[in-house]
Amino acid sequence: MPSPQEPSPHEPPPRESFRAGIRAGIPFAIAGGLLSLSFGVLAREVGFSAIGAIIMSAIVFAGSAQFAIVSILAGGGSAGAAIAAAALMNSRFLPMGIALAPSLRGGWLTRAAQGQTVVDASWAMANRGGGRFDRHFLFGATVPQYVTWFSGTVIGALLGSSLPDPETLGLDAIYPAFFLALLLTELRDRRSCGVALAGAALALALVPFTPSGIPVLAASVAALAGLWRQRTAP
Amino acid sequence: MTTQLWLVIAGGAAVTAAIKAAGPIAVGGRDLPRWAAGVIELMAPALLAALIVTAALADGDRITVGADTAGVAVAGIALARGASIVIGVALAVIVTAGLRALG
């Protein structure tokens, strides 16, 4: 088993991985760009200036957290409540970051910076199994998603309500459909199917009782089934 | 734009950066024990499944079956039968938008 500090002989060259990541990220980038249009529009409606909405997408770059912030403020919530909601929505990046960590290199500051590139689709696509991730692929996959998330917000914030409602066009179905396609590639055996079912059931069971964001975080508990194999394997 | 909104932007950016940095700082640079690889491998199915069901079935703290639920279900059937990702996603969008136009 290679040490995480040394490149595996089976790892593809970094530049090749990075380019493959960019290509893989483009479909998600298109979907994200369409959604960020509506974020730009909604942010203006709750009082953000165009430049404020654009800066938020540039430095927060987390769709579900940004929509949570806007919906809390639209409902008359405080700044603290909006920031707390963003933290809860992003809490799933904690287990994702722990899973990715052994595949990262460099000092703590470099690793922290590399961790900023984690978004759902990039993280899932960069998973190579056996607890390893292709970090260059992940970095590449995030690039087009960042570009379109930013530029979609610019268009939405500047053109505002003259744009059609993304929900009318059915665009809110894009992300779960994409994630479903990614999930199907992860279902390699009965155990991974069982974990997916358990994660989904756990998340749904918590929806009525916990703030948004917690159900997805709690679903990571289902991955503890991975302990079972190690204990029973010869 | 009010100072409060600028605070929300700064706070949202700070908590996001801190959460994304926490795992790589705390765990990075060292080998995880062998048992951890099995758990990490199963993180993706657990989290993806949770993201799908909350996106398609949760509306705030309520569980609702809507046009998007039907769209994602149709996409799931097509993908499981071997349809490409593009076809699956296009079906999800068409079914969702179609049902909303009808309803």
Side-chain angles (χ1 to χ4, degrees):
Chain A
M1 184 187 231
S3 153
Q5 293 303 324
E6 294 161 15
S8 153
H10 305 298
E11 261 183 24
R15 191 173 291 181
E16 206 173 284
S17 272
F18 186 79
R19 284 183 183 156
I22 290 178
R23 285 193 294 274
I26 287 173
F28 291 93
I30 294 168
L34 292 168
L35 289 183
S36 67
L37 283 173
S38 63
F39 169 75
V41 175
L42 288 173
R44 293 301 306 276
E45 285 173 3
V46 300
F48 285 93
S49 63
I51 197 75
I54 293 164
I55 287 175
M56 194 190 323
S57 278
I59 65 174
V60 177
F61 181 46
S64 53
Q66 290 179 231
F67 278 108
I69 284 174
V70 167
S71 68
I72 295 274
L73 294 175
S78 66
I83 294 168
L88 291 177
M89 287 307 296
N90 283 336
S91 56
R92 67 184 182 281
F93 293 129
L94 199 57
M96 286 184 187
I98 291 170
L100 171 69
S103 302
L104 298 179
R105 305 283 184 275
W108 70 270
L109 201 56
T110 307
R111 295 197 307 274
Q114 291 176 341
Q116 303 306 311
T117 62
V118 171
V119 290
D120 299 317
S122 303
W123 178 84
M125 290 190 294
N127 184 7
R128 293 292 171 263
R132 297 197 63 80
F133 285 77
D134 183 338
R135 66 188 190 285
H136 295 104
F137 186 97
L138 184 144
F139 304 154
T142 298
V143 169
Q145 295 182 78
Y146 184 86
V147 170
T148 58
W149 184 257
F150 177 80
S151 41
T153 305
V154 171
I155 296 168
L158 294 177
L159 296 185
S161 50
S162 57
L163 294 166
D165 177 11
E167 285 210 1
T168 309
L169 302 176
L171 300 183
D172 53 323
I174 289 178
Y175 265 121
F178 261 123
F179 288 143
L180 194 51
L182 287 179
L183 174 63
L184 289 174
T185 66
E186 294 285 341
L187 301 180
R188 301 180 176 107
D189 48 29
R190 286 178 62 185
R191 196 175 55 129
S192 51
C193 291
V195 166
L197 282 173
L202 197 54
L204 278 183
L206 289 175
V207 162
F209 309 109
T210 60
S212 299
I214 292 295
V216 175
L217 172 69
S220 59
V221 170
L224 291 176
L227 296 173
W228 180 77
R229 183 181 67 167
Q230 293 301 326
R231 284 180 182 164
T232 54
Chain B
M1 199 170 99
T2 63
T3 310
Q4 189 205 22
L5 292 183
W6 286 112
L7 275 174
V8 169
I9 293 174
V15 296
T16 303
I19 290 167
K20 285 188 174 181
I25 289 176
V27 182
R30 73 178 91 115
D31 256 327
L32 284 177
R34 276 191 66 210
W35 57 262
V39 176
I40 290 170
E41 195 172 351
L42 292 173
M43 281 287 186
L47 290 174
L48 285 170
L51 282 168
I52 293 161
V53 295
T54 52
L57 286 165
D59 182 10
D61 61 358
R62 288 180 309 128
I63 294 183
T64 56
V65 175
D68 57 334
T69 318
V72 174
V74 170
I77 293 167
L79 289 165
R81 287 173 171 256
S84 71
I85 292 183
V86 174
I87 297 289
V89 171
L91 275 173
V93 170
I94 291 165
V95 170
T96 304
L99 287 174
R100 283 188 183 139
L102 291 172

